[in-house]
Amino acid sequence: GESVGLHLPTLSVQEGDNSIINCAYSNSASDYFIWYKQESGKGPQFIIDIRSNMDKRQGQRVTVLLNKTVKHLSLQIAATQPGDSAVYFCTFRGSNYKLTFGKGTLLTVNP
Amino acid sequence: GAVVSQHPSRVICKSGTSVKIECRSLDFQATTMFWYRQFPKQSLMLMATSNEGSKATYEQGVEKDKFLINHASLTLSTLTVTSAHPEDSSFYICSAAPLLAFFSYEQYFGPGTRLTVT
């Protein structure tokens, strides 16, 4: 079945450091992946996405890397700020627009 | 642009009563809306997919008679939790896929509704 898992359930970093959040997936047929950020008591917020025909995509302070060979996805956040503290979910799109969410990684940024 | 709202943001109800949660796409039309449930410190679990003008498609294990979904227009979907029980207490989140998003896979999330059943 479809599943998305995370290697690290919690991550604590110092302000200014770079953060890397990892994710493994099992469905090799997925062609689209999205990272979401969820702050406490709020809905998920889109961060960055990547299609399966790419292995890297960069946004503002964020980079997503996709390794289809080992079915691994990562989110890199540069110069992490206190406002980046949240739970981060990797997801992939299945049929009919359905999103499968991973368990989430809690990122804590220490000032 | 691409804002999704939910109402109410928080609701407390007594066991046995019904609660309706609204999900609206404010500045776009949504062919498809999704309803998720999230328990504390857990991930989002898809409950059902709602298409405008047709019956919702429920995920395995979700009782369609308990969680009534209506998608009467391209900007509004409602979720009614009928005969609510304390175990239904959760964070309910909707998302909406824009009308022309077939190739872009866009999906926008609402801010969530915290339901507490006493």
Side-chain angles (χ1 to χ4, degrees):
Chain A
E2 301 174 342
S3 69
V4 180
L6 296 178
H7 291 177
L8 294 173
T10 62
L11 178 63
S12 183
V13 300
Q14 290 298 122
E15 182 178 358
D17 288 351
N18 296 331
S19 302
I20 299 176
I21 301 172
N22 296 302
C23 177
Y25 64 96
S26 61
N27 189 343
S28 57
S30 179
D31 64 351
Y32 183 64
F33 302 85
I34 312 168
W35 280 100
Y36 285 95
K37 170 187 179 183
Q38 186 181 30
E39 298 176 348
S40 181
K42 297 183 179 180
Q45 176 186 355
F46 173 91
I47 300 174
I48 193 168
D49 59 359
I50 188 168
R51 296 185 186 275
S52 59
N53 61 353
M54 304 171 67
D55 54 20
K56 180 179 180 179
R57 190 165 187 224
Q58 288 184 292
Q60 187 176 13
R61 287 201 303 118
V62 294
T63 301
V64 55
L65 299 177
L66 175 62
N67 185 330
K68 295 181 290 294
T69 302
V70 296
K71 299 178 189 174
H72 184 270
L73 193 69
S74 69
L75 176 69
Q76 300 178 2
I77 304 174
T80 314
Q81 303 168 359
D84 295 327
S85 294
V87 177
Y88 290 80
F89 294 98
C90 70
T91 71
F92 73 83
R93 266 285 302 271
S95 61
N96 299 322
Y97 291 83
K98 291 183 181 180
L99 285 177
T100 298
F101 278 76
K103 291 183 179 180
T105 291
L106 173 62
L107 174 65
T108 302
V109 182
N110 302 309
Chain B
V3 177
V4 176
S5 70
Q6 285 184 237
H7 178 79
S9 58
R10 290 178 175 269
V11 57
I12 301 173
C13 70
K14 293 186 177 180
S15 185
T17 62
S18 296
V19 175
K20 179 184 286 188
I21 301 170
E22 292 184 349
C23 176
R24 293 181 184 272
S25 55
L26 298 185
D27 49 4
F28 65 96
Q29 293 183 319
T31 314
T32 305
M33 289 185 173
F34 302 88
W35 287 96
Y36 296 83
R37 180 168 52 183
Q38 185 179 33
F39 293 108
K41 297 185 179 180
Q42 294 189 23
S43 187
L44 280 73
M45 297 299 296
L46 180 65
M47 298 175 66
T49 303
S50 168
N51 291 297
E52 186 266 338
S54 62
K55 291 183 178 180
T57 302
Y58 291 82
E59 295 299 300
Q60 191 173 6
V62 178
E63 300 174 57
K64 62 180 181 180
D65 294 331
K66 181 171 183 60
F67 299 99
L68 301 179
I69 292 173
N70 183 280
H71 194 159
S73 76
L74 287 172
T75 59
L76 173 64
S77 177
T78 60
L79 169 68
T80 301
V81 183
T82 63
S83 187
H85 291 284
E87 57 264 32
D88 298 323
S89 298
S90 187
F91 194 48
Y92 291 86
I93 305 170
C94 72
S95 69
L99 193 60
L100 301 177
F102 184 80
F103 295 105
S104 66
Y105 299 96
E106 296 174 358
Q107 193 176 131
Y108 301 98
F109 284 84
T113 296
R114 176 75 60 191
L115 170 63
T116 303
V117 184
T118 60

